[in-house]
Amino acid sequence: MIIWLNGTFGAGKTTTAKELTARIPDSRLFDAEKVGEMLWHVLGTPPRDFQDWPPWRGLVVETARQLLDHVGGTLVITQTVLKEQYWQELSTGLTAAGIPVHHFLLHTDHDTLVHRIETDTAPESANARQWRLDHLAAYTEALPWLRTAADVIDTTGIPPTRVAELVIERHGA
């Protein structure tokens, strides 16, 4: 099974994923961004986003399938996917592989997102701050389809422990 945490930067995906993997037996975090980083070494820097490379989407599906075949359990994937076509490819591929996917959109209001991004103290955050802020418009554009494709959890004003509890309650773990 896969629990896919979608949402923009600052929504709480990484923190929630850590809570989930601590609470769900036989669960592991699968950072699909690492697949994109691997492709950078092979294909060079993407013109816009590594998700635009078709191999990224296929490799995420195949990697998830092989990981689950090898270790079983639950994969918790934290990856922002804002293009509906890309989500359809991922979702269709995972379903064809026989993997149940529980897709959650972690959402919070714009002001909270900006505050979280601007106050993030992770070492890589300082370099990525403006990039993350610049991508909030694309997230807003994607919200209509995301709200229909995912189970929405509003993370505004609730701690990550509660967000993880809501994910667990809603997916039936």
Side-chain angles (χ1 to χ4, degrees):
M1 167 190 341
I2 290 175
I3 297 173
W4 193 296
L5 302 178
N6 204 342
T8 194
F9 309 101
K13 296 182 303 295
T14 302
T15 308
T16 300
K18 290 176 185 173
E19 289 286 335
L20 289 170
T21 56
R23 294 165 183 244
I24 300 172
D26 297 321
S27 64
R28 290 164 180 77
L29 179 60
F30 170 36
D31 185 351
E33 195 162 309
K34 299 298 182 193
V35 174
E37 291 172 6
M38 182 269 305
L39 286 172
W40 284 341
H41 293 287
V42 177
L43 301 175
T45 304
R48 213 184 62 72
D49 187 327
F50 59 75
Q51 290 185 21
D52 294 333
W53 287 325
W56 177 81
R57 300 183 297 280
L59 286 169
V60 167
V61 169
E62 184 59 18
T63 303
R65 186 192 65 75
Q66 289 202 24
L67 285 171
L68 287 170
D69 283 351
H70 183 68
V71 298
T74 301
L75 289 182
V76 178
I77 300 179
T78 58
Q79 184 66 51
T80 303
V81 178
L82 299 180
K83 291 190 177 181
E84 187 174 14
Q85 172 194 342
Y86 296 175
W87 175 252
Q88 288 302 321
E89 287 179 44
L90 292 161
S91 179
T92 300
L94 293 165
T95 299
I99 303 169
V101 179
H102 300 271
H103 183 204
F104 292 91
L105 173 64
L106 303 188
H107 175 76
T108 191
D109 65 73
H110 182 79
D111 291 342
T112 300
L113 287 170
V114 170
H115 175 75
R116 289 178 183 175
I117 292 167
E118 289 181 344
T119 59
D120 190 348
T121 59
E124 66 277 2
S125 297
N127 295 335
R129 188 168 289 126
Q130 191 57 52
W131 188 86
R132 291 174 178 176
L133 290 168
D134 290 345
H135 282 76
L136 292 179
Y139 172 69
T140 301
E141 271 182 45
L143 271 174
W145 78 261
L146 282 168
R147 289 182 190 275
T148 63
D151 187 349
V152 181
I153 297 178
D154 190 335
T155 66
T156 307
I158 62 173
T161 52
R162 180 63 186 138
V163 176
E165 289 169 1
L166 290 169
V167 169
I168 290 168
E169 288 170 13
R170 292 182 187 185
H171 102 291

